[in-house]
Amino acid sequence: MNQKEKLMGSEKMDRKGAVADFLQRCIEYTDASIQRKKARGEHEEIAAWESYREFTEHALMEINNGKLDPWFESEESGKLTEPKRIDVDSLPHKERATWFSGILSPRPVALVSTKNSDGVGNLAPLTSVMAVSTSPPLLIASLSRNRQGIYRNTYYNLKETKKAILHMMPSTLESVNWIDDAASPIPSDESEWDLTGLTKSEHDPMLIEEAVAGLEVEFIEEMSLPDAVAKLVVMRVTHIWSQHDKPPLSGLDVLCQHGIDRITPTPDNWAKTVYKHYG
């Protein structure tokens, strides 16, 4: 291990240690607060504090057992002063996907709801959604096959019923669990709604009540991609589901995929508005 790798490892441990120390202090503060409230007879607030303690303790456990190690890893962006030209065709599929996911990111994670002709609801995470036209309002997405050569239920349901809702989910750990559960491989006659426990809106049974926003779409057409097993689907946005009546000029605080299989909140650091593209 060279000096640079040692420094990066040390920085990672410092970050982990700082977060772990903070969480441990939160637990200790919570324990003291619970004892004070019990002494004062404020029992109505104790349950909320106990839930907070349980959540914090679980987070600390996942940090200590290494489950959250990817959160503390960082790679230097660097500059292309000594670039390497990598032949993409020579890369194995997994490594190629990792490169693409690492460079072309972050990308919003859409939780797509569809249903088949029998009314069985399906949920699936999708990170390939892209707006390609405003007038008409068109989105595209790539839907792939599994190792058995079977397309995901989202693809078959879209072709069958022509309707889907693409949901943007809040940037919470609970949302990550919903995304993870919705990606579970289950038989087509079972529903991911049952796995996730998400709430169907009374306004539309395909609308996820916990979502931040939704784009209701209709299937227009599919296209075969050159030398690929995935299908490119074109969808027209028919309705926007939102809690607000004005567009979010600064964007929404939603989940994204940043890197391979890594779900994060929308990056929220510095920002600058650009105007020159208006001419």
Side-chain angles (χ1 to χ4, degrees), residues 145-272:
R145 296 188 300 189
N146 61 20
R147 293 179 179 177
Q148 289 71 44
I150 302 174
Y151 286 99
R152 61 175 69 186
N153 290 333
T154 301
Y155 168 74
Y156 295 116
N157 293 348
L158 260 177
K159 290 192 66 177
E160 192 174 18
T161 66
K162 311 297 184 186
K163 181 181 177 182
I165 299 180
L166 282 59
H167 302 86
M168 300 298 110
M169 304 303 294
S171 58
T172 63
L173 288 175
E174 187 176 27
S175 285
V176 178
N177 292 333
W178 291 330
I179 294 288
D180 202 14
D181 289 338
S184 303
I186 60 174
S188 58
D189 59 348
E190 297 180 14
S191 176
E192 289 82 2
W193 285 93
D194 298 326
L195 288 179
T196 61
L198 287 164
T199 309
K200 296 180 181 180
S201 171
E202 61 180 15
H203 301 283
D204 188 313
M206 286 176 55
L207 183 67
I208 298 173
E209 190 170 289
E210 290 84 355
V212 173
L215 297 173
E216 187 175 331
V217 301
E218 62 180 14
F219 173 81
I220 300 297
E221 62 177 302
E222 67 173 88
M223 302 177 186
S224 296
L225 295 170
D227 302 321
V229 297
K231 295 284 189 181
L232 189 70
V233 296
V234 181
M235 300 166 285
R236 183 185 181 102
V237 181
T238 60
H239 297 84
I240 296 171
W241 289 93
S242 174
Q243 194 73 8
H244 310 284
D245 55 6
K246 294 182 179 179
L249 297 180
S250 299
L252 297 173
D253 187 11
V254 298
L255 287 183
C256 293
Q257 176 177 310
H258 193 38
I260 190 74
D261 296 332
R262 187 163 171 260
I263 307 301
T264 70
T266 300
D268 185 16
N269 199 328
W270 64 269
K272 179 182 178 181

